[in-house]
């Protein structure tokens, strides 16, 4: 507890919110602030819950807060972030007594720079607003349930354009499930890397609450937080943080020893190194990355994971590459609508007008992959988006060339795209992905 009486975790969470307001990414801001505050794993998990929750639910929180303000537009940004943290605890966090959440927020308001009179005014405002939120939040949120797509978007703090497209792609029931899951903590999962040692070396280092994950045979799912990147198994390349849905992608590619494989959009390297591991290192992988800095980071990841990979810097649409590959992976940039729980600020960074150019890029990358694969070879197209524009509409022209991946994950068979897979966070407990495998022309 700091001298002001504010918990260290809450102080860190507020710093994260302030940095996000200034343009920082929430995950990077949290990592930096938690390290600066020397938080232990439990404290880091608590700070993450507060900061990510307030960022994810910003739209809903502001709706609750603004009802209690005479002039919402006049509120200081720092005070609004304090109110968001307090409102998040009051409306969405179990186990925190309302009086404690209000008291912490008031103390934070008093701690902002300014005169004593201004500190008292801020504290009074925060106290009044949060007491009203405490009394009204449950009823106001309940009134949004079952009231249509726009109310669902407000309830689950989603931009309208994303909500409408999710409903169009999934139907209202599953769209609401995806949006609700996007406000919950992300799956804590990692992948064992056999290139750096047996399973036992990973299992011995994990906290006792782990289970082997369904869907992906090399996965481990943790019930609580685990500072993987501070651990020996991460530094030795024995494990990598990766959701089970993401792990399915390399399995769908089915790499085999002696094959030549191209990963067209490789950084940061989770799928690239998984491909190498599945083939026990006996595979020729070319990984393409457009940006020099990310390419160098990719090389470092491959070296740590013991994966022999040739990294090529260039635009995947045009960079010179030798054709006739046995398999090509296309995991293109996307809206990320299936991974919003892990990227709390992503929903606010995405712009509807950027969807068209993004879809054009995705279609171009798939066409390039099909041109690079040998007849009868394999092309896997995967995205961590659930929008039909980025998946079904792009794959529709190639429907007759889809392999059946149903045996890989029977519970995740895509209902509208025979042969493909689709994971939904609220149904499968992992990221939302669409994965399809196409046969090279001439098969």
């Amino acid at each position: 507890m700091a001298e002001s009486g504010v918990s260290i975790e809450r102080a860190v969470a507020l710093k994260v919110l302030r940095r996000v307001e200034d343009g920082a990414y929430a995950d990077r801001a949290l990592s930096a602030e938690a390290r600066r505050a020397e938080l232990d794993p439990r404290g880091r998990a608590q700070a993450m819950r507060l900061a990510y929750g307030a960022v994810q639910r910003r739209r809903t929180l502001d709706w609750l807060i603004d009802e209690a303000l005479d002039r919402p537009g006049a509120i200081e940004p720092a005070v609004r972030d304090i109110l968001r943290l307090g409102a998040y605890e009051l409306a969405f966090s179990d186990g925190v007594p309302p009086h404690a959440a209000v008291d912490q927020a008031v103390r934070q308001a008093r701690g902002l720079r300014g005169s004593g009179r201004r500190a008292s005014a801020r504290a009074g405002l925060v106290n009044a607003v949060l007491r009203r939120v405490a009394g009204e939040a449950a009823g106001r949120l309940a009134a949004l349930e079952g009231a249509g797509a726009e109310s669902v978007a407000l309830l689950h703090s989603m931009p309208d354009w994303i909500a409408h497209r999710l409903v169009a792609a999934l139907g209202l029931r599953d769209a609401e499930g995806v949006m609700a899951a996007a406000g919950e903590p992300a799956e804590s999962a990692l992948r064992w890397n056999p290139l750096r040692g047996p399973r036992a070396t990973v299992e011995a280092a994990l906290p006792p609450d782990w289970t082997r994950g369904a869907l992906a045979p090399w996965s481990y799912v943790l019930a609580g937080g685990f500072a993987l990147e501070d651990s020996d198994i991460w530094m030795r390349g024995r494990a990598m943080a990766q959701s089970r849905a993401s792990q399915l992608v390399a399995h769908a590619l089915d790499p085999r020893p002696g094959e030549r494989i191209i990963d067209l959009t490789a950084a940061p390297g989770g799928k690239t190194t998984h491909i190498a591991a599945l083939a026990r290192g006996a595979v020729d992988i070319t990984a393409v990355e457009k940006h020099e800095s990310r390419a160098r980071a990719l090389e470092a990841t491959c070296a740590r994971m013991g994966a022999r990979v040739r990294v090529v810097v260039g635009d995947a649409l045009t960079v010179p590459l030798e054709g006739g590959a046995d398999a090509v992976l296309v995991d293109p940039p996307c809206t990320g609508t299936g991974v919003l729980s892990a990227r709390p600020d992503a929903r606010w960074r995405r712009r509807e007008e950027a969807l068209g150019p993004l879809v054009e890029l995705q279609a171009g990358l798939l066409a390039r992959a099909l041109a690079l694969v040998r007849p009868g070879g394999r092309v896997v197209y995967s995205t961590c988006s659930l929008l039909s524009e980025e998946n079904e509409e792009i794959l529709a022209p190639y429907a007759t060339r889809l392999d059946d991946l149903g045996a890989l994950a029977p519970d995740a068979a895509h209902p509208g795209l025979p042969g493909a897979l689709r994971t939904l966070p609220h149904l499968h407990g992992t990221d939302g992905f669409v994965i399809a495998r196409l046969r090279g022309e001439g098969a």
Side-chain angles (χ1 to χ4, degrees):
M1 193 77 71
E3 290 184 9
S4 63
V6 176
S7 73
I8 296 174
E9 295 81 5
R10 191 184 177 98
V12 166
L14 181 60
K15 289 178 180 178
V16 172
L17 262 62
R18 299 305 307 130
R19 290 181 61 168
V20 169
E21 192 72 13
D22 290 336
Y25 288 96
D27 56 345
R28 297 176 188 175
L30 175 73
S31 180
E33 294 299 338
R35 190 176 298 112
R36 187 174 291 114
E38 299 182 344
L39 291 181
D40 60 21
R42 184 175 180 180
R44 189 183 190 282
Q46 172 71 354
M48 177 187 290
R49 180 187 65 81
L50 286 169
Y52 282 20
V55 171
Q56 288 166 331
R57 298 188 183 273
R58 188 179 75 188
R59 180 182 180 185
T60 314
L61 297 174
D62 284 347
W63 175 70
L64 292 171
I65 291 165
D66 289 352
E67 181 67 18
L69 291 168
D70 293 330
R71 294 186 300 148
I75 195 82
E76 296 175 80
V79 173
R80 181 168 287 279
D81 279 337
I82 290 170
L83 287 170
R84 286 169 174 162
L85 281 175
Y88 171 72
E89 288 196 295
L90 292 168
F92 298 105
S93 182
D94 295 332
V96 180
H99 69 85
V102 174
D103 176 71
Q104 287 284 288
V106 168
R107 289 176 183 271
Q108 282 189 307
R110 286 191 183 278
L112 296 177
R113 291 182 179 179
S115 66
R117 178 180 297 179
R118 190 161 189 178
S120 294
R122 288 166 171 156
L125 174 69
V126 167
N127 182 65
V129 169
L130 291 183
R131 287 185 180 278
R132 184 169 172 182
V133 169
E136 298 179 355
R140 294 187 69 199
L141 292 172
L144 294 175
E145 295 180 1
E150 291 195 3
S151 293
V152 166
L154 177 56
L155 175 65
H156 297 298
S157 199
M158 197 68 62
D160 286 336
W161 75 270
I162 292 180
H164 288 310
R165 280 177 163 79
L166 285 173
V167 170
L170 307 174
L172 181 58
R173 182 175 179 178
D174 280 331
E176 183 169 7
V178 168
M179 287 187 274
E184 299 299 325
E187 171 188 47
S188 179
L190 55 86
R191 170 175 58 82
W192 162 57
N193 175 26
L195 297 178
R196 290 301 197 198
R199 276 185 181 272
T201 60
V202 172
E203 294 176 359
L206 296 178
D209 55 2
W210 61 264
T211 58
R212 288 194 185 183
L215 290 178
W218 291 354
S219 66
Y220 291 88
V221 179
L222 311 181
F226 177 57
L228 176 63
E229 294 192 10
D230 294 330
S231 70
D232 182 71
I233 57 173
W234 185 89
M235 287 183 251
R236 291 178 179 268
R238 292 172 175 165
M240 170 175 281
Q242 189 174 12
S243 76
R244 289 174 293 144
S246 177
Q247 293 181 45
L248 277 176
V249 175
H251 286 285
L253 193 70
D254 190 22
R256 303 157 194 173
E259 288 190 323
R260 189 165 64 83
I261 294 175
I262 299 173
D263 186 347
L264 274 182
T265 49
K271 300 177 186 68
T272 313
T273 55
H274 195 187
I275 291 167
L278 285 173
R280 303 292 173 172
V283 66
D284 180 354
I285 302 175
T286 298
V288 181
E289 169 51 44
K290 186 174 183 178
H291 301 287
E292 181 74 32
S293 61
R294 285 169 58 86
R296 300 291 79 82
L298 172 61
E299 288 178 332
T301 295
C302 292
R304 179 171 56 82
M305 301 292 285
R308 289 179 295 178
V309 175
R310 181 186 308 104
V311 176
V312 174
V313 181
D315 187 332
L317 291 172
T318 58
V319 66
L321 295 168
E322 182 183 351
D326 296 292
V328 182
L329 173 60
V330 184
D331 186 58
C334 68
T335 57
T337 51
V339 293
L340 294 177
S341 59
R343 303 171 188 174
D345 48 341
R347 70 191 74 185
W348 311 122
R349 295 180 183 276
R350 301 289 182 254
R351 293 291 178 267
E352 185 174 14
E353 57 271 20
L355 181 59
L358 192 57
V359 168
E360 184 178 351
L361 172 62
Q362 292 160 349
L365 288 169
L366 178 55
R368 180 82 201 275
L370 290 168
L372 288 169
V373 75
R374 65 171 173 78
R378 309 176 303 284
V379 170
V380 165
Y381 178 88
S382 75
T383 78
C384 57
S385 173
L386 297 170
L387 303 189
S388 57
E389 292 92 338
E390 299 178 87
N391 296 299
E392 292 85 350
E393 293 180 21
I394 285 177
L395 291 165
Y398 309 102
T400 59
R401 294 166 64 177
L402 291 182
D403 282 337
D404 187 356
L405 297 174
L408 186 61
D411 292 341
H414 195 303
L417 198 62
L421 302 178
R422 185 179 72 185
T423 57
L424 299 179
H426 64 295
L427 297 182
H428 302 101
T430 186
D431 289 341
F433 263 74
V434 173
I435 306 169
R437 188 171 71 205
L438 299 81
R439 296 182 298 277
E441 196 167 25

